[in-house]
C-alpha cells in the first residue's frame, strides 16, 4: 500500500496506522465529495461500555457563517480517506446547515431521544 | 433505573447516559475488583475507520511509584461501572506493572505489531 506519509503527517494523523488517539481527534478535517473542506471534528461521542464511537461532533468554522455551532454526525456517515487524512461525507451544505446543532458550550442532553433524532435526520438506523 | 447522579456527577461523567465525549475521557478512573483506584485513562486509541476504541492508555499516578508511565489496556479488559462512575479491571498491580508501558511523551509506534503485543500480554484475542 502506497504510504501517504507527508499528506497524513500534515493532517496530524499517525500514518500509516489504523489508530488515532482520542485526544488527537480534535481538528480532523471533514470534506464533501467535491473535496471542499466543510469543517472539522471537535470530539466523538463514545459509548462508555462498548467503546464504540456513535457520532462525531463537528464545527464548520466560518464557512457557512455559522462560527461556533456544533453539528453531531452519526459515525456511519463519515468515510475515512487516508489520502486526504480526513473524513468525507456524502452531504451537501444545505443538509448540514438544516441538521441538529447546538452552540459550543451549550450542549444538549445527549440522551437516547437526542441520539435517535440525530440518526433519523441523517437516515441512519438507530440500533442502541 | 435508579439514578446515581451525584456519584457520577462527581466522577465528571454524564449520567445516566451511555455516551461520553471523547474529550472528557481524560481522567476517567480505573479501579481493581477490590475497589482501589489504580489510576486513570489518559486517552483511547480509536480505529479511524470503524470508530471503535481498541485500547485505553492509562496512567497510574504515584500509586506504584511510576509517576508518568502510560500503560495501554485493551478495551475488553475494561468493565464500565456506572455506580463508581469509572472502569473496573480484573487485574492486579503486578500484572499491570509488568505490562507494556511507555513514558508520557515517548509514545511507541502504534502499529499492528505493537497492538498485537498489548493484546497478547493481556490474553485478549487480536482480531484486526
Amino acid at each position: 500500500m502506497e504510504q501517504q506519509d507527508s499528506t497524513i503527517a500534515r493532517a496530524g494523523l499517525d500514518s500509516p496506522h489504523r489508530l488515532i488517539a482520542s485526544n488527537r481527534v480534535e481538528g480532523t478535517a471533514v470534506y464533501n465529495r467535491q473535496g471542499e473542506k466543510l469543517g472539522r471534528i471537535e470530539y466523538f461521542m463514545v459509548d462508555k461500555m462498548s467503546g464504540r464511537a456513535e457520532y462525531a461532533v463537528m464545527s464548520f468554522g466560518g464557512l457557512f457563517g455559522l462560527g461556533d455551532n456544533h453539528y453531531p454526525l452519526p459515525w456511519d456517515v463519515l468515510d475515512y480517506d487516508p489520502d486526504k487524512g480526513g473524513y468525507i461525507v456524502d452531504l451537501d451544505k444545505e443538509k448540514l446547515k438544516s441538521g441538529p446543532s447546538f452552540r459550543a458550550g451549550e450542549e444538549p442532553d445527549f440522551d437516547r431521544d437526542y441520539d435517535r433524532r440525530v440518526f433519523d435526520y441523517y437516515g441512519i438506523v438507530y440500533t442502541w
Side-chain angles (χ1 to χ4, degrees), chain A residues 3-127:
Chain A
Q3 310 236 326
Q4 301 287 343
D5 290 306
S6 57
T7 301
I8 297 178
R10 280 199 297 276
L13 296 177
D14 295 319
S15 166
H17 308 315
R18 293 175 304 113
L19 304 182
I20 185 171
S22 55
N23 62 2
R24 288 201 188 118
V25 165
E26 186 169 334
T28 303
V30 179
Y31 303 90
N32 62 15
R33 283 284 168 205
Q34 290 71 47
E36 298 175 272
K37 182 176 174 182
L38 296 173
R40 66 184 222 166
I41 292 175
E42 293 291 329
Y43 52 90
F44 297 174
M45 294 303 296
V46 178
D47 183 300
K48 292 171 199 158
M49 307 259 185
S50 70
R52 186 169 165 188
E54 282 196 22
Y55 47 89
V57 175
M58 293 190 52
S59 61
F60 289 116
L63 189 67
F64 305 147
L66 297 171
D68 56 355
N69 278 348
H70 284 184
Y71 293 76
L73 288 189
W75 192 264
D76 285 351
V77 311
L78 299 169
D79 188 10
Y80 184 74
D81 184 335
D83 292 339
K84 290 199 77 76
Y87 292 94
I88 311 283
V89 294
D90 264 318
L91 296 167
D92 60 36
K93 296 175 191 178
E94 288 310 310
K95 180 72 174 176
L96 285 164
K97 283 171 66 174
S98 307
S101 69
F102 52 89
R103 291 183 69 78
E106 295 175 18
E107 292 178 353
D109 201 19
F110 286 113
D111 61 9
R112 287 185 191 269
D113 288 341
Y114 185 83
D115 298 344
R116 194 176 292 114
R117 180 155 38 110
V118 172
F119 276 68
D120 285 350
Y121 180 78
Y122 289 102
I124 305 291
V125 176
Y126 184 69
T127 59

